[in-house]
Amino acid sequence: MTIADKLLAWYDSSHRKMPWRTPPADIKRGIRPDPYRVWLSEVMLQQTSVATVAAYFIKFTGIWPTVRDLATASEEDVLKAWAGLGYYSRARNLKKCADRVAREFGGRFPETAAKLLSLPGIGPYTAAAIAAIAFNESVPVVDGNIERVVTRLFEIQRPLPAAKPAITERVAKLTPPARPGDFAQAMMDLGATICIPRKPSCIICPLRRDCGAAKAGNPEIYPFKSPKKIKPKRVGAAFVAVNPHDEILLRKRKDTGLLAGMSEAPTTTWNSNLDGATGLEAAPFEADWKRCGDVRHVFTHFELELTVYRADADIPAPPGHWWSLNYKSEALPTLMKKVIEAALGDKMKGRKIRD
């Protein structure tokens, strides 16, 4: 049996059940996965765990069952539904991509990886995954789990990311012309459940007899990685104003840049290259501001520490809008949830900010 044969046999009996996945038994009966659900799940899963994505996926498909439905939504509504998933450029590209598919392709996704690459927010991995899973195109699909499996199978010692071309070449040779989508998902499942980073379960792996690292007894050293760059640390301040009705003052961030278009308690100007002011001199208006502590948040390229201030204030014409603790109505990023929870203290006991 080939590696693909062994892996697909294992996948048929051991695949993970996910709300966006078409079971292999259905694939064999000729039932094809919905490209919209494949695309949506792949975008959501970028740098986000399966456990986190499942609830968001069910919520999104409940509100917008098809790509045409998503195309009719406002960007603001999409951002609100996305709030908490992070990396908000994904949500904005999601909306742009839905618009393009509805407008230029009649609501049908292009059926090849090459054509899918022309759509907003779809890179080489996502294009290959959609093409293989939804359209049965025999293209190599390579994510982090697959990189780990392949570097162990073939003992590829060149560090990532330089090893990616060699890994992709190997995956292309392994991918069968039949069931390429199931093969890709089988590789992902193997990496997520058996060929895990620490203490892989080699004894039950369907590919253990083919795996160079398992035979050598050193799978944990793979994949080799270049030394990580130290993330810069930035600072700033956030100001949470609360009125007598227990409403919080929020404003919208600019339409470009980090967390674009999202709601926030007023903060000082900070970004990945620039520290913001941290003192009371930067408060949005005069009030009896009290320091409530600090919150830390890690972005892709830097870490941020915000000094949090709170004031009880009732501003007739605030630089924003007053908002109750009904968080369903706002596109509120995780950073701002941390800020508000730090500022409200006792008011948040027994409560949790909702998405």
Side-chain angles (χ1 to χ4, degrees), residues 47 63 116 124 151 161 168 182 219 233 243 247 250 265 308 313 332:
Q47 302 183 2
I63 301 171
L116 285 161
T151 55
T168 301
D182 278 353
K233 295 182 178 180
N243 71 14
E247 295 172 328
L250 294 182
V308 180
L332 200 66

Side-chain angles (χ1 to χ4, degrees), residues 8-341:
L8 286 168
W10 171 80
Y11 180 71
D12 286 344
S13 62
S14 304
H15 61 277
R16 293 181 292 173
K17 295 176 176 61
M18 301 175 184
W20 51 82
R21 180 175 280 179
T22 302
D26 288 349
I27 297 289
K28 290 179 180 179
R29 290 199 299 267
I31 300 172
R32 296 306 310 162
D34 180 354
Y36 170 67
R37 296 170 70 87
V38 175
W39 162 71
L40 181 60
S41 66
E42 287 297 340
V43 173
M44 286 184 167
L45 286 165
Q46 292 168 13
Q47 302 183 2
T48 308
S49 69
V50 168
T52 298
V53 164
Y56 281 88
F57 178 85
I58 292 170
K59 177 171 69 174
F60 258 74
T61 52
I63 301 171
W64 303 295
T66 70
V67 70
R68 289 179 183 272
D69 294 321
L70 186 57
T72 65
S74 69
E75 182 179 280
E76 183 177 6
D77 285 343
V78 174
L79 286 170
K80 287 176 181 177
W82 190 273
L85 266 180
Y87 304 99
Y88 292 93
S89 61
R90 292 183 296 167
R92 287 185 286 275
N93 281 329
L94 199 74
K95 169 61 177 163
K96 292 175 183 176
C97 185
D99 291 346
R100 286 268 311 271
V101 171
R103 184 178 65 251
E104 298 180 19
F105 297 94
R108 298 175 61 88
F109 281 85
E111 298 187 6
T112 67
K115 291 180 180 178
L116 285 161
L117 275 171
S118 68
L119 296 173
I122 295 184
Y125 162 74
T126 305
I130 297 169
I133 297 169
F135 299 114
N136 214 36
E137 184 180 7
S138 185
V139 289
V141 180
V142 182
D143 71 350
N145 282 318
I146 295 173
E147 286 176 348
R148 185 166 58 256
V149 171
V150 172
T151 55
R152 289 172 175 176
L153 270 173
F154 300 104
E155 296 180 283
I156 297 174
Q157 297 183 5
R158 191 172 187 182
L160 288 170
K164 287 189 175 185
I167 295 169
T168 301
E169 183 179 352
R170 290 283 191 176
V171 175
K173 291 178 180 178
L174 293 175
T175 301
R179 300 180 67 191
D182 278 353
F183 175 78
Q185 292 175 109
M187 289 283 276
M188 295 175 197
D189 280 11
L190 188 72
T193 63
I194 291 178
C195 195
I196 56 179
R198 298 286 176 265
K199 297 182 179 179
S201 302
C202 297
I203 192 67
I204 62 171
C205 178
L207 303 183
R208 64 186 180 278
R209 297 183 185 279
D210 303 282
C211 181
K215 292 175 184 176
N218 60 355
E220 289 192 27
I221 69 172
Y222 297 95
F224 286 29
K225 294 182 180 179
S226 301
K228 287 186 177 180
K229 294 181 179 179
I230 298 176
K231 291 184 178 182
K233 295 182 178 180
R234 299 298 175 209
V235 297
F239 298 88
V240 179
V242 185
N243 71 14
H245 306 291
D246 284 338
E247 295 172 328
I248 299 165
L249 180 64
L250 294 182
R251 68 182 184 186
K252 293 286 186 183
R253 290 180 62 83
K254 294 179 180 179
D255 290 334
T256 58
L258 198 63
L259 305 180
M262 305 296 290
S263 296
E264 68 166 4
T267 70
T268 53
T269 302
W270 49 266
N271 57 44
S272 60
N273 300 309
L274 179 72
D275 287 331
T278 59
L280 289 175
E281 73 281 356
F285 51 83
E286 290 188 10
D288 186 18
W289 295 101
K290 298 287 194 302
R291 181 170 176 169
C292 304
D294 303 317
V295 299
R296 293 176 176 83
H297 191 74
V298 179
F299 291 98
T300 305
H301 301 299
F302 71 105
E303 296 180 18
L304 176 67
E305 180 175 286
L306 292 180
T307 301
V308 180
Y309 297 93
R310 172 188 166 171
D312 293 320
D314 193 6
I315 310 301
H321 63 281
W322 291 108
W323 172 66
S324 74
L325 287 176
N326 177 14
Y327 287 90
K328 283 186 176 180
S329 64
E330 291 289 339
L332 200 66
T334 300
L335 170 62
M336 282 303 116
K337 293 180 182 180
K338 293 179 181 179
V339 165
I340 293 170
E341 287 174 344

